[in-house]
């Protein structure tokens, strides 16, 4: 929920993970968030930064039927650097390349599905105006971690919010750019040469630094689509003003600010996203042999994407959830509806 002042995420996470009781309570909250995602119509999520090994544990609990939630592709904790984005909270601060590789190995032992790097700073940790995407992770660390991750069979996603960061990420082996920044011809060339894709997160809006990132994300998405570079949708859930139940807004913003059709926005959030996540043979479209992941809405989203706001039915993991209910945050919705 929105905070009056920026919270100390590192201190908060240390408290959460300090005892067995607090860990149990926190895991229950995480599981509750995942259930909200499913009941709002999201049947698959890709987590790119989380608490300890909670995300892989929850993935396995959902698969085993012990919890209700969407299919999860989990990265667990991201790899950051001292003073880097989310270091000490949902990412581990690696002081050296060896420490980064040790964290990569830890993720392998936890059974992660992909790897997340925090290459630049972000909106929430920017200390002055105009620098939310300051380069934090050394290029040589990016390169070595990507090479090792690829040998282990993982794709690498990277938090990047500046042109310099995008360039460093793509030059050194990153497979997907989370967020993005205003691109130039060289960056677009690197996207194509790497076969990388862009995960655009238009929901990120927070005063001045947020607007810098917002404009860069929009520019990057438009340029990528013009150059036939794959684009998928994310929403950086967990940040202020982004809830676990309103992913539909991302499709609407994609349509409104990037200028795509409603049909293309739906395709991007389903078939295209599944393909880029490496599970296109399992889900993303409805056809024989694939999982019956689907939602039903009363109104037609092809006519108005806001129809996705009201989900009548969700099918996932062979289970049918009729009239799914989530707790709405009225103060958040009242503010965000002004952007529709």
């Amino acid at each position: 929920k929105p905070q009056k002042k920026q919270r100390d995420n590192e201190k908060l996470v240390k408290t959460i993970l300090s005892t067995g009781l607090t860990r149990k309570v926190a895991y229950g909250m995480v599981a509750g968030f995942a259930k909200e995602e499913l009941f709002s119509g999201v049947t698959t999520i890709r987590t790119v930064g989380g608490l300890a090994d909670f995300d892989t544990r929850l993935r396995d609990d959902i698969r085993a039927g012990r919890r209700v939630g969407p299919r999860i592709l989990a990265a667990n904790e991201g790899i950051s650097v001292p003073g880097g984005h989310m270091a000490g909270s949902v990412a581990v601060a690696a002081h050296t390349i060896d420490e980064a590789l040790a964290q990569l190995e830890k993720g392998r032992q936890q059974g992660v599905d992909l790897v997340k790097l925090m290459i630049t700073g972000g909106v929430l940790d920017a200390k002055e105006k105009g620098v939310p995407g300051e380069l934090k992770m050394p290029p040589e660390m990016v390169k070595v971690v990507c090479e090792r991750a690829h040998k282990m069979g993982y794709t690498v996603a990277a938090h990047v919010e500046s042109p310099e960061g995008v360039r460093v990420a793509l030059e050194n082996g990153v497979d997907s750019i989370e967020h993005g920044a205003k691109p130039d011809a060289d960056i677009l060339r690197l996207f194509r040469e790497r076969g990388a894709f862009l995960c655009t997160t238009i929901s990120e809006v927070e005063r001045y630094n947020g607007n810098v990132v917002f404009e860069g994300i929009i520019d990057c998405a438009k340029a990528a689509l013009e150059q036939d570079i794959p684009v998928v949708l994310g929403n950086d859930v967990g940040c202020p003003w982004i809830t676990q139940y309103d992913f539909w807004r991302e499709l609407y913003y994609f349509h409104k600010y990037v200028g795509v059709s409603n049909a293309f926005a739906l395709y991007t959030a389903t078939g295209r996203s599944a393909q880029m996540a490496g599970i296109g043979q399992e889900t993303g479209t409805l056809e024989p042999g694939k999982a019956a992941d689907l939602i039903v809405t009363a109104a037609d989203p092809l006519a108005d994407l806001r129809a996705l706001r009201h989900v009548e039915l969700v099918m996932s993991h062979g289970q049918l959830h009729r009239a799914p209910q989530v707790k709405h945050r009225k103060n958040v919705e009242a503010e965000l509806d002004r952007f529709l």
Side-chain angles (χ1 to χ4, degrees), residues 83-120:
H85 186 55
M86 305 310 287
S89 58
V90 297
V92 171
H95 295 77
T96 65
I97 290 176
D98 284 344
E99 286 187 7
L101 293 176
Q103 180 59 29
L104 177 63
E105 174 58 24
K106 180 180 178 182
R108 187 191 67 78
Q109 293 175 6
Q110 292 170 342
V112 298
D113 300 295
L114 70 154
V115 175
K116 174 68 177 296
L117 300 182
M118 307 294 191
I119 292 179
T120 74

Side-chain angles (χ1 to χ4, degrees), residues 40-156:
S40 67
V42 176
T43 58
T44 299
I45 59 176
R46 186 179 62 134
T47 70
V48 283
L51 300 176
D53 64 344
F54 283 15
D55 292 344
T56 49
R57 282 177 55 199
L58 182 56
R59 175 199 64 196
D60 295 344
D61 279 348
I62 291 170
R63 284 177 179 172
R66 294 186 292 268
R67 296 276 187 172
V68 174
R71 176 188 296 98
I72 294 177
L73 302 176
N76 286 351
E77 295 169 301
I79 301 174
S80 189
V81 293
H85 186 55
M86 305 310 287
S89 58
V90 297
V92 171
H95 295 77
T96 65
I97 290 176
D98 284 344
E99 286 187 7
L101 293 176
Q103 180 59 29
L104 177 63
E105 174 58 24
K106 180 180 178 182
R108 187 191 67 78
Q109 293 175 6
Q110 292 170 342
V112 298
D113 300 295
L114 70 154
V115 175
K116 174 68 177 296
L117 300 182
M118 307 294 191
I119 292 179
T120 74
V123 170
L124 296 183
D125 49 28
K127 298 298 189 293
E128 58 185 281
K129 290 185 177 181
V131 292
E134 182 179 12
L135 184 66
K136 299 287 187 178
M137 183 173 286
E140 56 270 24
M141 181 179 286
V142 178
K143 182 178 177 62
V144 172
V145 172
C146 284
E147 288 177 347
R148 182 70 61 84
H150 290 154
K151 287 181 180 178
M152 296 166 76
Y154 296 123
T155 58
V156 181

Side-chain angles (χ1 to χ4, degrees), residues 171-238:
E171 285 178 341
N172 291 284
V174 164
D175 301 291
S176 70
I177 299 296
E178 315 299 308
H179 313 304
K182 189 176 180 64
D184 55 22
D186 190 45
I187 285 175
L188 295 173
R189 174 187 60 80
L190 287 168
F191 262 111
R192 290 192 296 271
E193 289 181 356
R194 277 284 309 130
F197 66 92
L198 171 69
C199 182
T200 184
T201 55
I202 304 172
S203 293
E204 279 199 295
V205 179
E206 183 162 315
R207 294 188 173 84
Y208 184 86
N209 280 319
N211 289 336
V212 170
V213 173
F214 176 81
E215 292 165 5
I217 288 173
I218 296 296
D219 288 342
C220 199
K222 287 181 176 179
L225 291 175
E226 289 172 359
Q227 297 290 322
D228 291 325
I229 293 165
V231 176
V232 302
L233 302 181
N235 67 344
D236 219 11
V237 68

